[in-house]
Amino acid sequence: DMGKEGEIFPNIIENQEYDDYRQMFVKAVSAMNTYCQSRNISFYLMFDPNKISIYTEFIPDGINYDSSWVDEFLNALTESGVTVVDNYHYFKSIKDEVRLYNVKEDVTHWNDIGAFYGCNLVLKTISEDYPAVTENKLEDFEVTEEFAKYLQNSTIVINETIPKIKVPVSWSEVVSREREALQTDTLFANFLHVRSDLAEAADLPKILSFEGSYMFGGDHHNMLICQSREYIAVHNYRNVLNLPYYVNIFQPEIVIFDVAEFVIAEYFFSYDVMKTINYPVSLTEFGYPYEEKEMGNVNVSSFIDTYEQIYIDIGNTDYENAYVISGDKTYDLTVQDEVYYLITLRENLENYPTLRFVFPDPDAEKCYYQDYYPEGSDW
């Protein structure tokens, strides 16, 4: 849609409300936060606004656009204990100082300057928990301009000069075949896993980021990667609702859920799936004494030279919660084909000779456990 002074907006939809769907979305995010916190993982909800919500003064006359539902939504998240990276209000406060979205080119997303400021707010928030993390400085990046003759995916002439930021790459992609085996949604399968090449990155956190086009587009996640020692990016839509699966695989210290204002919708995040979220509680919540017990048969197998697949068949799946302890890490067992199983990266287990399977029993007020010692060079 054409706005005032030549501004272009994506199709302007009717005003939204903080309705039952969005309230369910808040409950789902709150469950993610609780799950992460119970495992000493910091969780951040990164909210990125639509261009129209920031540059409302350019909306065509006769359109009464109202995004006040966002205030209710963000307030509800904060009240539920979620740490919110609020680019909505932040962008409103700085929009007269810097141009965060292009006038005409790709107005569905922020431009590189918007990405810089939006990612810096994430880093500023993270730095409160991880002091080694610092905000980026523009002078450390290569800032240029690019001429766009045509509107994106069209022959409409716009002749617009747009900002471009290039982040110096100081990391390497992890050599593996992870992407082939990840159970990501087939429509949303973007994935990246990199590690820093810099020795000074050792004090920086390991980040698992669920993100969409605001971050994958233009490789804008590079502005966060440079403040991590290891960074895993997973396409967020639908996949983030399966949070424990990814945490068990990647064992992050930080989880970022980056969500744009316009994708909080049924197509991307199913109401029915969010309604049925029942993430496993942490093993630390069970204060029962441990008792060794022969629980069942264990099977360990590798696939695509990257993952370990671990099964224990105890003859039933009556235990609501089950876990594997390996070294200083605890993994959630889930039920598949009537057995308890775990999938994790092979490298997570290579330095630990023992697996301890733990089954809390509230009736007996005990944690039954069985130790397993892999034979030979299983990993």
Side-chain angles (χ1 to χ4, degrees):
D1 290 330
M2 185 66 70
K4 298 176 182 177
E5 299 183 24
E7 294 278 349
I8 293 179
F9 296 101
N11 290 335
I12 300 174
I13 60 175
E14 62 183 38
N15 290 329
Q16 306 296 298
E17 296 180 354
Y18 182 55
D19 54 11
D20 181 60
Y21 175 83
R22 290 173 174 81
Q23 292 174 42
M24 183 58 66
F25 190 94
V26 168
K27 290 180 180 178
V29 175
S30 178
M32 296 175 201
N33 182 57
T34 298
Y35 174 82
C36 287
Q37 286 189 335
S38 69
R39 287 152 178 81
N40 297 316
I41 300 170
S42 299
F43 180 86
Y44 305 91
L45 187 285
M46 178 182 178
F47 184 81
D48 299 324
N50 298 338
K51 175 186 177 180
I52 193 172
S53 296
I54 303 303
Y55 293 104
T56 54
E57 66 271 28
F58 297 115
I59 296 174
D61 290 333
I63 296 178
N64 180 26
Y65 181 76
D66 181 5
S67 60
S68 58
W69 73 268
V70 174
D71 287 306
E72 295 180 80
F73 173 74
L74 296 179
N75 287 338
L77 284 167
T78 301
E79 289 171 2
S80 73
V82 175
T83 300
V84 176
V85 180
D86 179 8
N87 280 320
Y88 176 81
H89 291 96
Y90 177 52
F91 277 17
K92 283 177 176 288
S93 72
I94 64 172
K95 69 174 186 176
D96 294 330
E97 305 168 25
V98 290
R99 185 73 206 198
L100 303 163
Y101 299 77
N102 296 326
V103 175
K104 298 177 181 178
E105 169 61 10
D106 190 16
V107 294
T108 304
H109 305 97
W110 55 22
N111 60 24
D112 282 16
I113 297 297
F116 173 81
Y117 281 95
C119 289
N120 257 10
L121 186 60
V122 179
L123 296 173
K124 180 180 179 180
T125 307
I126 291 176
S127 69
E128 297 174 6
D129 300 315
Y130 297 85
V133 173
T134 60
E135 294 179 59
N136 294 320
K137 299 177 181 178
L138 267 181
E139 54 263 35
D140 293 335
F141 298 158
E142 181 183 334
V143 183
T144 59
E145 292 182 335
E146 185 177 282
F147 183 73
K149 182 174 181 179
Y150 299 103
L151 188 66
Q152 189 177 45
N153 301 320
S154 80
T155 56
I156 300 174
V157 176
I158 57 173
N159 292 332
E160 182 178 13
T161 300
I162 58 177
K164 303 300 292 184
I165 297 177
K166 184 177 181 180
V167 180
V169 174
S170 57
W171 52 84
S172 301
E173 189 160 6
V174 174
V175 179
S176 71
R177 296 165 63 195
E178 294 166 28
R179 187 193 307 262
E180 296 177 33
L182 279 178
Q183 297 172 13
T184 52
D185 186 277
T186 55
L187 292 177
F188 305 110
N190 285 331
F191 174 75
L192 177 75
H193 186 180
V194 296
R195 290 194 180 105
S196 177
D197 298 327
L198 304 176
E200 55 266 34
D203 294 330
L204 295 173
K206 180 179 181 179
I207 298 175
L208 170 60
S209 177
F210 293 91
E211 54 193 49
S213 55
Y214 265 65
M215 297 298 287
F216 271 111
D219 291 330
H220 288 138
H221 45 216
N222 288 352
M223 299 178 188
L224 299 182
I225 292 174
C226 64
Q227 290 294 325
S228 70
R229 75 172 188 278
E230 188 169 348
Y231 191 94
I232 303 99
V234 175
H235 215 151
N236 62 6
Y237 317 128
R238 305 180 188 175
N239 296 313
V240 71
L241 302 180
N242 194 18
L243 177 63
Y245 168 77
Y246 296 97
V247 168
N248 279 321
I249 290 174
F250 296 111
Q251 293 293 297
E253 292 156 10
I254 287 175
V255 168
I256 298 172
F257 178 14
D258 164 60
V259 63
E261 179 182 346
F262 69 91
V263 299
I264 300 178
E266 175 68 28
Y267 177 74
F268 299 102
F269 306 101
S270 164
Y271 180 94
D272 288 339
V273 174
M274 292 190 294
K275 187 177 180 179
T276 58
I277 282 177
N278 183 27
Y279 297 143
V281 300
S282 171
L283 176 57
T284 59
E285 293 194 21
F286 300 96
Y288 309 142
Y290 277 52
E291 180 177 306
E292 188 170 9
K293 181 179 180 181
E294 187 69 23
M295 299 299 297
N297 298 318
V298 177
N299 178 273
V300 178
S301 60
S302 303
F303 63 101
I304 70 165
D305 304 322
T306 301
Y307 292 89
E308 289 295 340
Q309 193 167 241
I310 299 167
Y311 293 88
I312 181 167
D313 184 355
I314 67 172
N316 62 69
T317 54
D318 295 341
Y319 291 93
E320 183 176 356
N321 299 282
Y323 308 88
V324 169
I325 299 174
S326 177
D328 60 351
K329 299 291 186 182
T330 300
Y331 303 82
D332 303 303
L333 288 170
T334 54
V335 174
Q336 178 175 296
D337 299 328
E338 302 304 315
V339 299
Y340 293 95
Y341 83 104
L342 166 70
I343 295 175
T344 192
L345 288 177
R346 184 184 182 95
E347 65 185 39
N348 292 338
L349 307 175
E350 287 176 340
N351 296 324
Y352 306 109
T354 307
L355 296 176
R356 171 163 290 186
F357 295 87
V358 181
F359 296 84
D361 187 336
D363 294 330
E365 296 187 347
K366 293 179 181 179
C367 281
Y368 296 117
Y369 76 91
Q370 175 181 325
D371 288 338
Y372 174 77
Y373 304 90
E375 296 180 3
S377 56
D378 281 1
W379 58 72

